[in-house]
Amino acid sequence: MEDKIIEVNFGPQHPSTHGVLRIKVKLDGEIIVEAQPIIGYLHRNAEKLAEMGAYPKGMVYIDRLDYVAALNMELGHVLSIENLMDVQVPERALWIRILMVELNRIASHLIWLGTHGLDMGMLTPFFYCFRERERILRIFDEITGSRLLYNYFAIGGVYSDVTPKSIEMIKEWTEDFVDKLEEIQAILGKSYIYVSRTRGVGKLSPEDVLSYGVTGPMQRASGIKRDLRKDSPYLFYEKINFEIPTRTEGDVYARFLVRVEEMRQSARIVKQVLEKLPQGDFYNKKYSKPMLVRLKATGESYVPTESPKGEFGIYLIGDGSSIPYRVRIRSPSFANLSSIPTMLKGYKIADLTAAVSSADPVFGEVDR
Amino acid sequence: MSDNILVTTLDEALKWGTGKSLWPFTFGLACCAIEMMSAMGSDYDWARFGSDVFRDSPRHSDLMIVSGTVTKKMAPRIRRLYDQMAFPKFVISMGACASAGGPYVRGYSVVDGVDQVVPVDVYVFGCPPRPEALIQALKMLQDRIVAGKVKH
């Protein structure tokens, strides 16, 4: 029999694509010769729609970029606007922002862990992860009034204060979350099948990581210690003790370990924030809600933040009117996904779902 | 006469069976898919209502939940997946985007509602709807199937 290259389409409807990704795979037997991701199935012009309204109105579209970590997206937007307009934010609001962002980082990683388990053929971690995630969502529901997309960070602060009841809820949650996480990690990490399917699969070398602009947990799993919360601290991250988990293997298993460890560190940050949360205003009184749509700005601004997927930032240009001239989104998933051809080349077709889900693509953010 | 009675009762039994054993199709488009996952997850557990088996292939399933923004690039694929499903088949349009375009209705690449592509039985409002709303939509669909009000 002569060698024949077969072309197989993966997606756009497939339970392991985490949305609507399509990958054109060329196969020699069961070895992947070439893989080409095709995107754009969820292109809904977030950038242009955000340029059509006043500054705070763009938040609606920014929220829906990475819909599993909406508060992290809002943070990138709101920091960029505040940098552009020189807005002073009260201390309490900044601490509340850290608290919410870290809780959302955990929620995002829990979704990843659950769906990664599904992709690897395990149903149990999904239910365990969603049980823990629902507890975080109940906290968000109490504070912001919404479960998934919040529109909570306002220019000059946050929209509503953290209530004593929600602080009780968070305290209760921090008490046993780490133990529960241990339990979830054991389901995957102690499974011989899971470990042998992920170790040495989907490798990315540090050179590949830098050339593709891969950031976040994927970069740290390949041995590059870079976290914007430490390297260019925003909010009050320099006042908090936490570590950056790093691994050197650069495979799917390393990414799993890095993300789980990141959740532990985020839980540590949440605990410290609860101790340090000062009293005071939760928004700047100069920026009352009705006047937010009338704010005008000139100049350019970009504030990089560490979202659960990697470096996220919004580049804004103001032309003196109350509507931004340009809103450019730097989305981490898009850059991470571009490394898929390298990650898959030479591996078997059965490794495809493991490698794709380890990139944690969220298509609201990739296609924008 | 007796034949007729037998046929109608079998019909009733079939309707009841179809309503109470809907197999949804794992088909997430955008944000609403996360709430759909929550609805099937541990807290909301919609397996209680007899539709727990999420199927990965359109040929196995009879309920399509369109959860998220329908773009012009994705619309032909949705129609194709719908055509691949076997009869009887039902569609729930979940969220503002799938029902009417939602916040993206002004965008050049967005279809204003999935009902331009496939026939819809139940619309759910919200951006995103809470899992309770999706469960209510499921119950509504089940009641209509059992009452024989769904025509496909």
Side-chain angles (χ1 to χ4, degrees), chain A residues 2 8 26 44 61 65 70 72 74 76-78 87 112 124 146 149 156 173 186 227 245 253 266 285 304 316:
Chain A
E2 58 184 89
V8 177
K26 281 186 181 154
R44 39 189 191 181
Y61 305 105
L65 288 178
N72 288 277
E74 285 174 25
H77 191 215
V78 93
V87 176
W112 173 80
T124 321
S146 185
L149 304 168
W173 171 84
D227 190 320
Y253 190 65
S266 291
K285 295 277 194 250
L316 284 172

Side-chain angles (χ1 to χ4, degrees), chain A residues 12-15 18-20 22 38-46 48-49 52-53 60-62 64-65 67-68 111 115 118 123 126-135 137-138 141 145-149 363, chain B residues 25-45 55-58 68-74 77 81 84 97 102-110 127-132:
Chain A
Q13 191 278 318
H14 188 279
H18 290 225
V20 281
R22 174 171 159 216
I38 298 167
I39 58 168
Y41 289 96
L42 194 61
H43 173 59
R44 39 189 191 181
N45 35 82
K48 287 296 152 199
L49 287 175
M52 282 167 78
V60 179
Y61 305 105
I62 305 302
R64 283 151 183 75
L65 288 178
Y67 36 80
V68 294
I111 280 215
T115 49
L118 280 182
L123 205 56
F126 174 79
F127 291 108
Y128 279 51
C129 289
F130 266 72
R131 184 189 63 198
E132 292 313 306
R133 182 172 172 270
E134 289 294 336
R135 294 178 71 191
L137 291 196
R138 275 199 287 274
D141 206 353
S146 185
R147 270 172 56 86
L148 190 68
L149 304 168
F363 281 86
Chain B
F25 177 30
T26 320
F27 182 52
L29 283 176
C31 334
C32 290
I34 307 295
E35 288 297 75
M36 188 176 79
M37 279 154 70
S38 290
M40 70 181 263
S42 358
D43 271 36
Y44 292 93
D45 185 26
R55 292 282 116 180
D56 299 334
S57 162
T69 319
V70 182
T71 57
K72 285 182 180 155
K73 193 173 180 179
M74 197 62 198
R77 275 83 179 174
L81 289 165
Q84 284 177 350
C97 286
Y104 297 96
V105 71
R106 288 182 296 173
Y108 56 83
S109 64
V110 176
C127 186
R130 294 174 74 94
E132 293 96 326

Side-chain angles (χ1 to χ4, degrees), chain A residues 220-239:
Chain A
R220 294 191 280 275
S222 289
I224 299 176
K225 196 169 185 174
R226 183 166 173 274
D227 190 320
L228 291 164
R229 290 175 291 174
K230 283 267 192 215
D231 296 349
S232 63
Y234 47 95
L235 303 178
F236 284 127
Y237 276 114
E238 72 271 16
K239 289 185 185 170

Side-chain angles (χ1 to χ4, degrees), chain A residues 165-355:
Chain A
K165 189 192 166 195
S166 51
I167 286 186
E168 278 308 306
M169 282 165 89
I170 299 170
K171 270 184 188 154
E172 206 179 300
W173 171 84
T174 47
E175 271 166 23
D176 58 351
F177 173 70
V178 177
D179 300 337
K180 294 272 171 63
L181 188 61
E182 205 84 37
E183 197 183 8
I184 299 167
Q185 190 185 1
I187 302 173
L188 291 153
K190 284 188 182 168
S191 159
Y192 175 75
I193 300 169
Y194 175 76
V195 174
S196 51
R197 275 191 71 183
T198 51
R199 203 166 261 173
V201 170
K203 274 198 175 180
L204 273 185
S205 66
E207 292 78 38
D208 291 337
V209 163
L210 290 178
S211 66
Y212 281 111
V214 172
T215 44
M218 277 180 84
Q219 185 186 40
R220 294 191 280 275
S222 289
I224 299 176
K225 196 169 185 174
R226 183 166 173 274
D227 190 320
L228 291 164
R229 290 175 291 174
K230 283 267 192 215
D231 296 349
S232 63
Y234 47 95
L235 303 178
F236 284 127
Y237 276 114
E238 72 271 16
K239 289 185 185 170
I240 297 172
N241 292 320
F242 65 103
E243 276 145 33
I244 308 168
T246 340
R247 307 282 298 184
T248 49
E249 295 92 334
D251 56 3
V252 177
Y253 190 65
R255 286 169 208 147
F256 157 71
L257 291 176
V258 164
R259 287 206 173 95
V260 171
E261 187 54 38
E262 232 171 67
M263 278 194 257
R264 271 196 205 103
Q265 296 301 330
S266 291
R268 225 176 114 189
I269 296 174
V270 169
K271 263 186 200 169
Q272 291 177 46
V273 172
L274 283 186
E275 286 163 15
K276 291 180 179 172
L277 194 66
Q279 293 299 322
D281 288 338
F282 61 94
Y283 73 99
N284 192 338
K285 295 277 194 250
K286 269 199 286 182
Y287 296 90
S288 62
K289 282 159 206 171
M291 68 150 298
L292 287 182
V293 287
R294 273 179 262 136
L295 290 174
K296 292 183 174 66
T298 327
E300 299 174 14
S301 137
Y302 176 76
V303 181
T305 58
E306 187 73 25
S307 93
K309 316 282 185 299
E311 179 185 331
F312 173 81
I314 289 181
Y315 176 64
L316 284 172
I317 302 179
D319 60 354
S321 69
S322 62
I323 294 172
Y325 175 75
R326 181 81 177 99
V327 180
R328 169 76 174 89
I329 300 159
R330 196 280 176 206
S331 61
S333 286
F334 178 71
N336 293 0
L337 199 71
S338 66
S339 70
I340 274 189
T342 317
M343 232 158 67
L344 291 175
K345 204 173 183 181
Y347 292 100
K348 295 202 168 138
I349 182 80
D351 300 333
L352 189 139
T353 52

